[in-house]
């Protein structure tokens, strides 16, 4: 580095250190959320400007003279050299799902400090590294998928194990993402109508851009934006009209079925008709809204109302999620810090579209910074509202009761005073029947975001901003659901293709229908189980989601470490090896604890045994309405325990296989040296 680089690094580091000091050392004083924003921007700048440069040019020696797969295999379909900013938008839209919106909101029950630190440090040293490194490796291997890369680096057994891990984990990820949408739209005709309209809008855009006026992106973009805003405006009229409101007021089971149908159609329909235009449409909404929230935080500088560390971070007995700070914080905030799902995108469509090797920094490292920034916005939205409101929204009815009086009394007993009148007033202001137990994280983020914007535009627009945020979140997540279902179909075909050659034909409609149905039915089962779960679904499934996602990240970082060793750059193996070790310790510990922990509020097996005893005694807990529901919950506990055990066992086998390959390679080099 040159002298000016050292000076720049020093100045940015000082500003960031000061912001962190304000956040960490304040005790009782008013602290503005802008300090979280400043700390985040400083660490993102350091990571992108210096660390990503080191990885790209020192470790992988990227060179724009090397032809990328987009040029080597150019076919006008999958392999197409793409403008780096367009590709950044595509990559960001593909990786950004519910995780960066939900995880930080749920983790806020522990206080603003632990989650903020993990989001920033985890992203810069692990998440961004994984995304960028997997993108480079896939690019160097002609655009191969993570499963194919694992097979080449670890051997046939390691490849088969990796494919199995990837597919089974993807099922849980998609189910929980869909559950977040269900929780956000249930009994909300305004939100349901606005989100439903994005489907015909996207299809009209696709027909226009691909058949009526090929390449007319600007016209389609203007139409999409205006139609989206019109649907949001009409949503209020739909919700206030008794006849139309009834048609779009859907229960959670109804929404779950609707999402399954949507996922299946998105997987089998041509990409240009639904998937691509929805992806394109959501990119503008995602990036625009995130920047709008950041601007709002700078202008308003809302006060951080949540303590730096709450009693729930110490006791592990929080109402939103159960578990100690370690290791459960690291699986609660998955996306936003590090997400295994991203490795599927970084070894999926994106490496086939890279125009020049140097673009991997912006697309891979920069794309993950974008998602981490979303997580920071979610954290700010959660911790800047009154803690009493936060817990009223995010705690299930089994914790706080079903009426505003019960909820206010329970939450106030925790030290976060709130009145029934305040809860009723906020529900009226956002034009919802209730805000109690709107678990899933999305409603809390929407209300937090709306409260920030309302300080600029006035409380009269609070309902508009709330439903705008719900639309933003639903579009944000649905993009991942439809793309993830299609990716799942491809992975299942790769997996079954090892045994039945007919499944290797990606153009066979019959095969596509079969694998799409199996994929949707698989994640649909867990979605429906979450919907009917008396504990709110998210409370049960989100830890499993975090475990699955972080184990997938562990697998990706492990494969990347083996690749670095195999390419003769073993001295840099720490770059992915250390994050892989951290993720494996955190996540395997969390997985084991979720299975065998003796506390019924944490361990799957302990809860199943406790509820079985209650059934045999004939004294069902208040949250369980019938014996039939109790048996379903018990079955779900056992299934979750089996899945967590399988995930931990399979990833552990992959890690052992990787260690064997690394040791074997190092011994071979010593023998030939």
């Amino acid at each position: 580095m040159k002298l000016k680089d050292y000076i720049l690094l020093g100045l940015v580091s000082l500003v960031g250190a000061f912001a962190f000091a304000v956040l960490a050392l304040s005790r009782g004083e008013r602290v503005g959320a802008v300090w979280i924003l400043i700390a985040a921007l400083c660490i993102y700048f350091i990571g992108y400007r210096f660390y990503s440069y080191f990885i790209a040019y020192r470790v992988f020696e990227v060179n724009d003279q090397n032809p990328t797969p987009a040029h080597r295999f150019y076919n006008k379909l999958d392999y197409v050299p793409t403008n780096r900013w367009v590709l950044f938008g595509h990559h960001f839209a593909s990786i950004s799902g519910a995780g960066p919106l939900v995880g930080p909101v749920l983790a806020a029950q522990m206080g603003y400090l632990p989650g903020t630190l993990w989001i920033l440090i985890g992203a810069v040293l692990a998440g961004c590294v994984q995304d960028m490194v997997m993108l480079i490796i896939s690019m160097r291997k002609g655009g191969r998928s993570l499963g194919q890369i694992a097979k080449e680096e670890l051997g046939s057994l390691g490849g088969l194990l990796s494919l199995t891990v990837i597919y089974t984990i993807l099922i849980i990820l998609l189910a929980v993402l869909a559950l977040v949408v269900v929780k956000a739209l249930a009994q909300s005709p305004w939100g349901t109508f606005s989100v439903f309209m994005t489907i015909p809008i996207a299809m009209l855009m696709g027909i226009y851009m691909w058949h009526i006026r090929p390449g007319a992106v600007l016209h389609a973009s203007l139409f999409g934006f205006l139609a989206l805003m019109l649907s949001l405006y009409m949503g209020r009229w739909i919700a206030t009209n008794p006849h139309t409101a009834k048609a779009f007021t859907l229960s959670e089971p109804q929404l779950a079925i609707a999402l399954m149908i949507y996922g299946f159609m998105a997987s089998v329909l041509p990409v240009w008709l639904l998937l691509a235009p929805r992806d394109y449409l959501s990119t503008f909404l995602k990036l625009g809204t995130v920047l709008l929230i950041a601007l709002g935080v700078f202008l308003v500088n809302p006060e951080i109302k949540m303590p730096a560390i709450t009693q729930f971070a110490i006791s592990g007995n929080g109402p939103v999620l159960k578990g100690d700070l370690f290791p459960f914080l690291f699986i609660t905030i998955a996306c936003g810090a590090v997400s295994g799902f991203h490795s599927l995108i970084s070894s999926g469509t994106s490496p086939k579209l890279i125009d020049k090797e140097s673009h991997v920094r912006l697309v891979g490292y920069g794309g993950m910074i974008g998602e981490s920034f979303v997580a920071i916005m979610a954290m700010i939205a959660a911790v800047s509202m009154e803690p009493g409101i936060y817990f009223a929204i995010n705690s299930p009815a089994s914790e706080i009761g079903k009426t505003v009086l019960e909820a206010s009394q329970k939450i106030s007993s925790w030290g976060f005073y709130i009145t029934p009148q305040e809860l009723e007033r906020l529900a009226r202001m956002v034009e919802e029947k209730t805000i109690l137990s709107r678990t899933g994280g999305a409603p809390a983020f929407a209300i937090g975001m709306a409260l920030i914007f309302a300080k600029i535009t006035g409380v009269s627009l609070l309902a508009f901003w709330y439903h705008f945020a719900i639309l933003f979140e639903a579009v944000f997540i649905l993009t991942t659901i439809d793309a993830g279902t299609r990716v799942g179909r491809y992975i299942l075909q790769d997996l079954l293709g090892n045994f039945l050659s007919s499944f290797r034909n990606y153009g066979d409609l019959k095969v596509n229908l079969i694998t799409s149905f199996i994929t949707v039915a698989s994640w649909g089962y867990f979605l429906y189980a979450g919907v009917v779960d008396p504990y709110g679904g998210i409370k049960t499934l989100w830890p499993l989601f975090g475990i699955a996602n972080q184990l997938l990240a562990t697998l990706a970082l492990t494969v990347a470490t083996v690749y670095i060793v195999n390419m003769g750059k073993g001295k840099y193996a720490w770059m992915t090896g250390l994050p892989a070790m951290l993720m494996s310790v955190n996540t395997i510990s969390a997985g084991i604890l979720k299975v065998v922990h003796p506390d019924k509020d944490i361990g799957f097996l302990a809860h199943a045994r406790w509820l079985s005893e209650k059934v045999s005694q004939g004294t069902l807990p208040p949250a369980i309405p019938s014996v039939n529901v109790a048996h379903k919950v018990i079955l779900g506990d056992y299934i979750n325990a089996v899945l967590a055990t399988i995930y931990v066992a399979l990833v552990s086998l992959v890690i052992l296989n990787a260690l064997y390959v690394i040791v074997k390679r190092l011994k071979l080099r010593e023998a030939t040296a």
Side-chain angles (χ1 to χ4, degrees):
M1 294 194 301
K2 298 179 180 178
L3 178 60
K4 65 177 183 179
D5 294 321
Y6 284 108
I7 294 174
L8 181 62
L9 176 61
L11 290 175
V12 176
S13 298
L14 284 174
V15 174
F18 182 78
F20 274 118
V22 171
L23 295 170
L25 301 179
S26 62
R27 293 294 182 270
E29 309 91 18
R30 182 189 183 281
V31 179
V34 72
W35 290 110
I36 296 179
L37 204 55
I38 292 172
L41 293 175
C42 288
I43 197 167
Y44 292 149
F45 177 83
I46 293 170
Y48 183 80
R49 173 65 180 82
F50 298 101
Y51 194 36
S52 73
Y53 185 92
F54 168 81
I55 295 170
Y57 292 97
R58 181 70 64 85
V59 180
F60 288 96
E61 301 177 9
V62 301
N63 188 337
D64 285 343
Q65 299 302 312
N66 297 332
T68 64
H71 291 281
R72 289 161 52 203
F73 308 118
Y74 175 68
N75 62 4
K76 297 184 180 181
L77 181 63
D78 298 313
Y79 294 88
V80 181
T82 305
N83 177 278
R84 61 177 176 170
W85 291 105
V86 174
L87 182 54
F88 169 82
H90 161 78
H91 187 80
F92 174 74
S94 298
I95 66 174
S96 300
L101 298 172
V102 176
V105 172
L106 302 182
Q109 77 162 359
M110 298 181 181
Y112 68 81
L113 192 58
T116 299
L117 290 174
W118 168 233
I119 290 169
L120 297 178
I121 298 172
V124 170
L125 297 181
C128 296
V129 174
Q130 174 207 243
D131 290 19
M132 178 178 167
V133 168
M134 287 309 305
L135 182 62
I136 294 174
I137 294 172
S138 181
M139 178 184 68
R140 292 276 172 86
K141 286 182 170 288
R144 284 180 172 81
S145 68
L146 175 59
Q148 293 169 322
I149 295 169
K151 185 176 181 179
E152 292 181 4
E153 299 299 321
L154 302 177
S156 298
L157 177 60
L160 182 61
L161 286 173
S162 298
L163 273 175
T164 305
V165 169
I166 292 166
Y167 183 74
T168 55
I169 285 177
L170 183 62
I171 294 302
I172 293 296
L173 302 187
L174 293 174
V176 177
L177 294 176
L179 182 60
V180 174
V181 177
V182 169
K183 293 293 182 181
L185 298 181
Q187 305 298 325
S188 177
W190 187 344
T192 301
F193 172 79
S194 300
V195 172
F196 169 78
M197 287 303 296
T198 63
I199 298 173
I201 291 171
M203 295 179 75
L204 288 173
M205 289 175 62
I207 293 171
Y208 185 83
M209 287 191 293
W210 268 267
H211 289 280
I212 298 176
R213 292 284 300 276
V217 177
L218 179 60
H219 296 165
S221 302
L222 290 173
F223 165 77
F225 175 76
L226 294 175
L228 205 60
M229 293 300 101
L230 179 62
S231 67
L232 183 61
Y233 175 80
M234 290 179 61
R236 186 174 189 180
W237 179 84
I238 293 290
T240 55
N241 185 295
H243 301 291
T244 53
K246 186 177 180 180
F248 287 96
T249 302
L250 302 181
S251 65
E252 291 187 2
Q254 289 173 324
L255 283 167
I257 294 171
L259 279 177
M260 292 179 213
I261 295 172
Y262 169 75
F264 179 80
M265 298 305 296
S267 179
V268 299
L269 286 175
V271 175
W272 61 265
L273 182 59
L274 180 58
L275 194 64
R278 264 192 59 83
D279 190 23
Y280 183 73
L281 181 64
S282 69
T283 301
F284 289 103
L285 187 63
K286 288 180 178 183
L287 291 173
T289 303
V290 170
L291 294 176
L292 190 64
I293 298 172
L295 179 62
V297 172
F298 267 117
L299 293 176
V300 175
N301 189 20
E303 180 183 355
I304 299 175
K305 305 288 181 63
M306 191 72 76
I309 299 177
T310 69
Q311 66 266 38
F312 303 124
I314 301 168
S315 69
N317 194 34
V320 180
L321 285 173
K322 304 294 183 183
D324 297 328
L325 188 66
F326 174 84
F328 291 104
L329 172 69
F330 303 98
I331 64 168
T332 300
I333 300 179
C335 309
V338 54
S339 169
F341 177 78
H342 297 189
S343 65
L344 305 182
I345 305 301
S346 290
S347 61
T349 56
S350 296
K352 299 178 179 67
L353 303 175
I354 289 279
D355 184 23
K356 297 179 180 180
E357 284 199 347
S358 60
H359 294 176
V360 294
R361 291 179 65 205
L362 175 66
V363 177
Y365 204 97
M368 178 57 199
I369 283 179
E371 189 187 67
S372 182
F373 191 62
V374 173
I376 287 294
M377 295 299 101
M379 179 63 74
I380 290 174
V383 302
S384 61
M385 70 173 71
E386 290 293 339
I389 294 174
Y390 166 85
F391 285 109
I393 299 169
N394 291 291
S395 303
S398 59
E399 293 281 352
I400 62 173
K402 296 182 179 181
T403 68
V404 291
L405 181 60
E406 291 174 332
S408 62
Q409 290 176 343
K410 185 66 174 179
I411 295 168
S412 296
S413 72
W414 298 332
F416 305 110
Y417 183 74
I418 192 74
T419 66
Q421 292 75 22
E422 288 177 279
L423 296 175
E424 290 174 337
R425 177 173 173 270
L426 183 57
R428 287 195 301 269
M429 291 175 69
V430 297
E431 299 185 16
E432 291 284 12
K433 294 179 181 178
T434 181
I435 61 169
L436 291 184
S437 301
R438 297 295 299 273
T439 57
F445 172 82
I447 289 177
M449 171 182 157
L451 289 171
I452 292 173
F453 287 155
K455 292 181 180 178
I456 301 174
T457 62
V459 294
S460 60
L461 290 178
L462 188 65
F464 171 83
W465 288 121
Y466 169 77
H467 286 91
F468 174 82
I470 290 292
L471 173 65
F472 159 72
E473 291 176 296
V475 171
F476 210 94
I477 299 166
L478 283 175
T479 303
T480 309
I481 292 173
D482 50 30
T485 302
R486 188 175 285 262
V487 169
R489 188 243 291 178
Y490 292 150
I491 295 171
L492 183 58
Q493 287 186 240
D494 286 341
L495 197 57
L496 296 177
N498 289 311
F499 310 100
L500 299 170
S501 59
S502 59
F503 279 89
R504 298 172 188 166
N505 184 3
Y506 295 100
D508 189 323
L509 178 60
K510 182 180 178 181
V511 170
N512 292 348
L513 291 173
I514 292 172
T515 50
S516 294
F517 178 81
I518 293 173
T519 301
V520 172
S522 299
W523 65 254
Y525 168 80
F526 290 100
L527 167 61
Y528 198 81
V531 164
V532 300
D533 181 8
Y535 297 104
I538 288 294
K539 188 175 180 180
T540 303
L541 286 178
W542 191 264
L544 188 61
F545 167 89
I547 291 167
N549 197 26
Q550 302 305 65
L551 283 174
L552 184 54
T554 303
L555 185 149
L557 287 165
T558 300
V559 171
T561 304
V562 175
Y563 176 86
I564 291 171
V565 172
N566 287 342
M567 68 183 282
K569 294 278 184 108
K571 64 180 180 180
Y572 297 118
W574 56 266
M575 180 187 64
T576 52
L578 289 178
M581 289 173 59
L582 172 68
M583 297 304 298
S584 62
V585 171
N586 287 339
T587 315
I588 291 175
S589 298
I592 294 172
L593 286 174
K594 283 301 295 182
V595 175
V596 303
H597 200 288
D599 188 335
K600 65 179 177 60
D601 291 324
I602 299 177
F604 292 130
L605 296 180
H607 186 269
R609 288 192 296 268
W610 170 79
L611 190 53
S612 296
E613 290 176 3
K614 291 293 183 181
V615 171
S616 63
Q617 294 168 0
T619 56
L620 294 178
I624 307 294
S626 67
V627 173
N628 184 45
V629 171
H631 286 308
K632 289 181 179 178
V633 172
I634 293 168
L635 176 62
D637 283 333
Y638 283 121
I639 290 175
N640 291 341
V642 169
L643 285 174
T645 303
I646 290 173
Y647 293 157
V648 168
L650 288 176
V651 173
S652 297
L653 287 174
V654 172
I655 293 172
L656 291 174
N657 189 32
L659 290 173
Y660 170 77
V661 171
I662 290 174
V663 171
K664 184 178 178 181
R665 175 65 60 139
L666 293 177
K667 285 184 177 179
L668 180 63
R669 285 195 183 143
E670 287 179 4
T672 56

